[in-house]
Amino acid sequence: MSEQQTKLSEQEMKTYRVQGFTCTNCASIFENNVKELPGVQDAKVNFGASKVYVKGNTTIEELEKAGAFENLKIRNEKEQRVEREPFWKQKENIKVYISALLLVISWFLGEQYGEEHILPTTGYAASILIGGYSLFIKGLKNLSRLNFDMNTLMTIAILGAAVIGEWGEGATVVILFAVSEALERYSMDKARQSIESLMDIAPKEALIRRGNAEMTVHVEDIKVGDIMIVKPGQKLAMDGTVIKGTSTLNQAAITGESVPVNKTVDDEVFAGTLNEEGLLEVKVTKRVEDTTLSKIIHLVEEAQAERAPSQAFVDKFAKYYTPAIIILALLIAVVPPLLFGGDWSEWIYQGLAVLVVGCPCALVVSTPVAVVTAIGNLCKKWCFN
């Protein structure tokens, strides 16, 4: 490939931020969907950083269509961070509240009229439908493709519980699964927000002098060689070299130093540091994407994208583990009644219990959640304390 073609390929690679990832499996499905879009040559999803890298031509609307199965929201990497609603107000959690309320009401009705009465049964059925609707859609689609994942396991288990008349237990499983998904989503969102907050350390604009004119310029439009004027109490927007003035800078966000450092003419200064005392004039030496802070953010995101050895093992193990659980549950449900005269209802119940207990969701998501949370907490303590 020629140098010109290499540059063209680099220009075509675009980065977008994704909002709504709940599991690594969803990220993998989204990545495959994006790769199949017209005009897309290649795509790579960074689940931890909640980003998608796209090589080729596409639009945000097309990307959101590719992520419609999970209601993913896409935005350009350089757009301002969108503040999400508080966790308890998010739409995806409202169905959990309604489903849980119906379950509690149905419990009380069951105590009053008996579990077989139409009122508690209807309440349990409504709780299952409301709380498990999206789960059933994914599970049935995967089942039709013989793609056995946690959604398939839970769908079979819950529908099976309804078939044998265990409506209450089916509704309880739906609630527990929905709550676990919500908690996973909450922990991932908190970790990502801590990491994404790194981008807010440095100002988005700076006071620049060009010739005899002073103007406020967005960091994307600041050029190498521009003169940046930094007043006391302001943060530096760009890396550069001091050409006039003396001051002390708090560099804790970049270097971790707790004690402010004296800066004078010819000293190097960094974006994101706080000018505490004097007026400084700084000659910009790097573009915004090349600043020390930008490199730190890039390294953090690369660390998120790296698959830990345990995660690689778990992902590979889950491919065989999930079908094995389904086969085991089937054998438990069928073999005792056929060969040993066991009660069908009892052993089908035992088989369904194995499906629920054997769900690999926590196993698969444990490592990425742990890694992203650890990195997020480190960023938060390092840069904001």
Side-chain angles (χ1 to χ4, degrees):
M1 182 181 289
S2 68
E3 184 178 347
Q4 185 177 2
Q5 288 175 318
T6 303
K7 289 181 179 179
L8 182 59
S9 297
E10 291 175 354
Q11 289 171 357
E12 290 175 346
M13 184 66 75
K14 296 180 181 178
T15 306
Y16 301 90
R17 292 196 174 272
V18 185
Q19 183 176 307
F21 278 147
T22 56
C23 65
T24 52
N25 184 55
C26 299
S28 178
I29 293 172
F30 176 63
E31 181 179 294
N32 291 331
N33 289 350
V34 173
K35 287 179 178 178
E36 293 174 2
L37 290 175
V40 173
Q41 300 170 25
D42 195 14
K44 182 70 176 175
V45 168
N46 182 334
F47 173 69
S50 205
K51 284 185 173 183
V52 58
Y53 306 92
V54 181
K55 182 180 179 182
N57 297 316
T58 189
T59 63
I60 289 178
E61 289 74 18
E62 289 296 320
L63 292 173
E64 289 189 340
K65 285 182 182 178
F69 69 98
E70 192 73 357
N71 294 320
L72 301 179
K73 300 298 180 185
I74 314 295
R75 74 178 195 274
N76 194 289
E77 183 187 28
K78 294 179 181 178
E79 286 184 21
Q80 287 288 85
R81 185 157 53 100
V82 179
E83 292 296 328
R84 294 197 68 183
E85 287 182 318
F87 177 73
W88 62 276
K89 283 186 178 181
Q90 292 174 14
K91 291 181 180 179
E92 52 262 43
N93 294 330
I94 293 176
K95 66 178 182 180
V96 181
Y97 309 145
I98 297 173
S99 186
L101 180 61
L102 287 171
L103 177 61
V104 172
I105 293 172
S106 299
W107 277 340
F108 283 113
L109 291 174
E111 292 292 326
Q112 290 287 327
Y113 302 104
E115 290 292 330
E116 303 298 324
H117 195 274
I118 187 65
L119 287 178
T121 301
T122 302
Y124 289 137
S127 178
I128 289 173
L129 287 174
I130 294 172
Y133 174 76
S134 59
L135 167 67
F136 298 148
I137 295 297
K138 295 176 189 175
L140 293 173
K141 282 183 179 178
N142 290 339
L143 189 60
S144 67
R145 300 168 184 163
L146 297 180
N147 179 17
F148 301 110
D149 64 359
M150 61 182 179
N151 296 302
T152 312
L153 290 185
M154 298 305 292
T155 298
I156 295 172
I158 294 163
L159 295 180
V163 168
I164 64 174
E166 297 292 344
W167 292 94
E169 300 207 10
T172 303
V173 169
V174 166
I175 294 298
L176 293 176
F177 187 77
V179 169
S180 71
E181 277 198 322
L183 291 176
E184 287 170 8
R185 189 167 55 248
Y186 174 76
S187 63
M188 291 298 292
D189 282 351
K190 291 292 287 183
R192 288 178 182 133
Q193 285 170 16
S194 295
I195 295 166
E196 199 170 342
S197 293
L198 284 171
M199 299 174 62
D200 297 331
I201 293 177
K204 301 301 179 187
E205 295 179 333
L207 182 62
I208 298 295
R209 186 172 70 236
R210 290 175 179 167
N212 295 323
E214 293 183 1
M215 63 196 78
T216 301
V217 180
H218 193 275
V219 290
E220 295 289 336
D221 300 319
I222 296 176
K223 303 174 183 177
V224 173
D226 281 343
I227 306 301
M228 180 171 61
I229 300 172
V230 188
K231 299 176 182 178
Q234 290 183 337
K235 284 186 175 182
L236 278 72
M238 304 289 285
D239 285 9
T241 303
V242 178
I243 60 171
K244 185 178 180 181
T246 301
S247 184
T248 56
L249 265 62
N250 185 333
Q251 299 186 142
I254 303 298
T255 64
E257 295 173 279
S258 59
V259 179
V261 179
N262 290 320
K263 295 291 183 179
T264 187
V265 176
D266 293 334
D267 284 342
E268 186 178 14
V269 291
F270 308 106
T273 56
L274 177 65
N275 181 22
E276 294 192 339
E277 295 177 356
L279 179 71
L280 292 177
E281 292 189 11
V282 177
K283 184 176 181 179
V284 176
T285 55
K286 296 176 183 177
R287 295 275 298 164
V288 64
E289 61 269 18
D290 298 323
T291 64
T292 303
L293 179 61
S294 295
K295 289 180 179 177
I296 290 173
I297 295 172
H298 179 68
L299 289 172
V300 168
E301 291 178 343
E302 277 192 341
Q304 289 176 304
E306 288 294 323
R307 292 159 60 86
S310 57
Q311 184 181 347
F313 167 75
V314 165
D315 288 347
K316 186 176 180 180
F317 176 69
K319 291 181 181 179
Y320 304 99
Y321 172 82
T322 305
I325 287 293
I326 291 178
I327 294 171
L328 177 62
L330 183 63
L331 291 174
I332 290 173
V334 172
V335 171
L338 285 179
L339 300 183
F340 305 105
D343 180 68
W344 278 100
S345 179
E346 178 185 349
W347 286 102
I348 289 175
Y349 180 87
Q350 298 296 338
L352 295 174
V354 169
L355 287 180
V356 174
V357 174
C359 180
C361 177
L363 179 70
V364 174
V365 83
S366 58
T367 302
V369 167
V371 170
V372 173
T373 301
I375 293 172
N377 286 337
L378 178 63
C379 291
K380 189 175 181 180
K381 290 179 180 179
W382 174 35
C383 297
F384 301 110
N385 284 351

